[in-house]
Amino acid sequence: MNPALRDSAAHVFLEAIDNPVLGDEDAHHLLRVLRLGESDPVTVTDGAGRWMTALVGKDGSVEPTSEVVVEAAPKWRLTIAFSLVKGDRPEWTIQKLTELGIDEIIVLGDLERSVVRWETKRAEKNLQRLRLVAREAAMQSRRVWLPIVSGLRDLATIDDLYIADPAGAQISGSHRTLAIGPEGGFTDIEKKTGVGLVSLGDNVLRAETAAISAAVLMSSCRTKEG
Ligand code: SAH
């Protein structure tokens, strides 16, 4: 990672980098919560690979202090699809997958053994909340590519999908889209939806542990094999 990103006092997503303006909530966060001064360097990004260093004025204005840096897209995109789990674990999972560099996170719709189901009319609102979690996690981890969070989708609509299963093949860089099942696991029919099964190790993991392990292993394969 570029040291300017790593060392910035805060990292913020903007609508457009050519016309840098902080949103009200971000301005509040930087000035009131983090109490940044006018000389604390921040980094700002459009979430699509473009970023620069800047200073934030007391009124929330953004003063660029570098040229715009254009970061290349990752060598290949990594996608994890997961089933809803109980409580705040979906938020927690999204946060961790974002920190670990996953590019696209898909929330799966109803599966045979789903324990948690979203009412259709609340799905979009719930997804918006998850997108906010991803944005905050991307700020914290200094990402310049904002992950896409989508849902609710069926297994059959996802291209080149592998299914996470302890009986699967050892994971490699060719596994770029992986689905994690619900606590009760995928049914045999659901397992056949993908192009193959992929293992994350010998032990049977909880769904959220499996999702996080998948993110670590897939990112590591991308670093090593890319
Ligand atoms: N109740 C199920 C376990 C489900 S665990 C059972 O006893 O078999 C939830 C999901 O995590 C699984 O559907 C699978 O997709 C994933 N998972 C758990 N451990 C895994 C492993 N070692 N390798 C790959 N996927 C795993």
Side-chain angles (χ1 to χ4, degrees), residues 64-77:
T65 52
S66 78
E67 296 291 313
V68 173
V69 183
V70 183
E71 218 68 60
K75 287 168 229 161
W76 58 75
R77 291 177 67 76

Side-chain angles (χ1 to χ4, degrees), residues 164-166 179-186 198-207 210:
D165 188 276
I180 312 295
E183 283 308 336
F186 287 121
V198 173
S199 168
L200 302 167
D202 265 351
N203 298 344
V204 177
L205 308 169
R206 291 188 72 143

Side-chain angles (χ1 to χ4, degrees), residues 7-76:
D7 297 340
S8 72
H11 180 65
V12 197
F13 289 89
L14 304 174
E15 283 293 316
I17 201 129
D18 306 325
N19 175 26
V21 186
L22 283 186
D24 288 347
E25 284 190 20
D26 288 329
H28 176 83
H29 184 70
L30 263 53
L31 299 169
R32 305 267 171 269
V33 182
L34 298 177
R35 299 189 158 278
L36 292 192
E38 280 175 291
S39 56
D40 293 320
V42 302
T43 44
V44 296
T45 176
D46 62 359
R50 302 191 329 138
W51 65 276
M52 64 185 176
T53 58
L55 294 173
V56 177
K58 280 204 183 75
D59 56 354
S61 60
V62 178
E63 187 63 45
T65 52
S66 78
E67 296 291 313
V68 173
V69 183
V70 183
E71 218 68 60
K75 287 168 229 161
W76 58 75

